[in-house]
Amino acid sequence: MTIRLARSSELSTIGEIERAAGVLFAEIDMAPVAFDEPMTIEELEPFLANGRLWVAVDADDQPIGYACAAEVDGVTHLEQVSVHPAYGRSGIGTALINTVIDNARTSGSSAVTLTTFVDVPWNGPYYRRLGFEFLTTSSETPGLRAIRAAEADHGLDRWPRACMRLDLD
């Protein structure tokens, strides 16, 4: 498995990866999340243009996972990470997240933030194992509050969600 920057020709494949990975939510009674539409090609293009869209590829150079990040309130924000379930639980997600963290350090970011489901095992507890800490609502930055508000408008607050942060030394 190799991680590299994504190519524009792979944007539809990235959506397919996100859709496949999302199905796992149906197994824990979160069907609306499982069958939510993945990011569109138009939504992925700015990440690609900014050099913040990475893919994990197999031996045939075919994407099997991806991560994308943006800048929110002056720090790197992990927007999405997804791994095709056929390749799950093999360290690919962690490798993708570490790529985002390494890029954040290289670019001078002081932290990486994300929003996630608090109790889903491959969300909040997983990110905690990677060193992220939950933020209190009062410590959320304006940009994070805006992201959370958009998530709430999308119905994601039916399940506990929170912001997390990893400070970079």
Side-chain angles (χ1 to χ4, degrees):
M1 187 267 311
T2 302
I3 296 176
R4 61 167 170 74
L5 288 171
R7 299 176 184 132
S8 60
S9 61
E10 297 167 330
L11 296 181
S12 63
T13 301
I14 288 169
E16 293 167 14
I17 291 167
E18 186 176 342
R19 186 183 314 278
V23 172
L24 296 173
F25 285 94
E27 297 173 8
I28 58 170
D29 295 325
M30 294 175 70
V33 175
F35 302 110
D36 193 24
E37 287 300 310
M39 279 197 266
T40 65
I41 289 173
E42 293 76 21
E43 290 169 323
L44 289 167
E45 284 174 338
F47 297 104
L48 181 71
N50 291 325
R52 291 183 168 208
L53 177 60
W54 299 269
V55 289
V57 296
D58 63 15
D60 296 322
D61 200 39
Q62 297 303 304
I64 56 176
Y66 85 98
C68 59
E71 185 176 309
V72 174
D73 298 323
V75 301
T76 298
H77 181 75
L78 176 61
E79 182 68 31
Q80 181 70 31
V81 60
S82 292
V83 176
H84 193 285
Y87 298 91
R89 303 190 56 83
S90 61
I92 295 169
T94 300
L96 284 162
I97 293 165
N98 285 334
T99 297
V100 172
I101 292 168
D102 291 345
N103 179 269
R105 280 193 176 103
T106 301
S107 68
S109 182
S110 62
V112 177
T113 60
L114 57 87
T115 61
T116 192
F117 292 106
V118 173
D119 300 319
V120 174
W122 60 90
N123 278 202
Y126 170 70
Y127 293 120
R128 288 224 34 183
R129 288 192 301 276
L130 296 179
F132 287 82
E133 296 294 330
F134 285 105
L135 295 176
T136 62
T137 303
S138 63
S139 62
E140 292 174 2
T141 62
L144 290 175
R145 284 193 296 275
I147 291 168
R148 289 283 298 114
E151 292 173 347
D153 288 346
H154 193 66
L156 295 180
D157 278 9
R158 290 179 51 191
W159 305 274
R161 284 189 67 79
C163 297
M164 297 185 83
R165 180 181 172 108
L166 173 69
D167 288 314
L168 304 177
D169 298 322

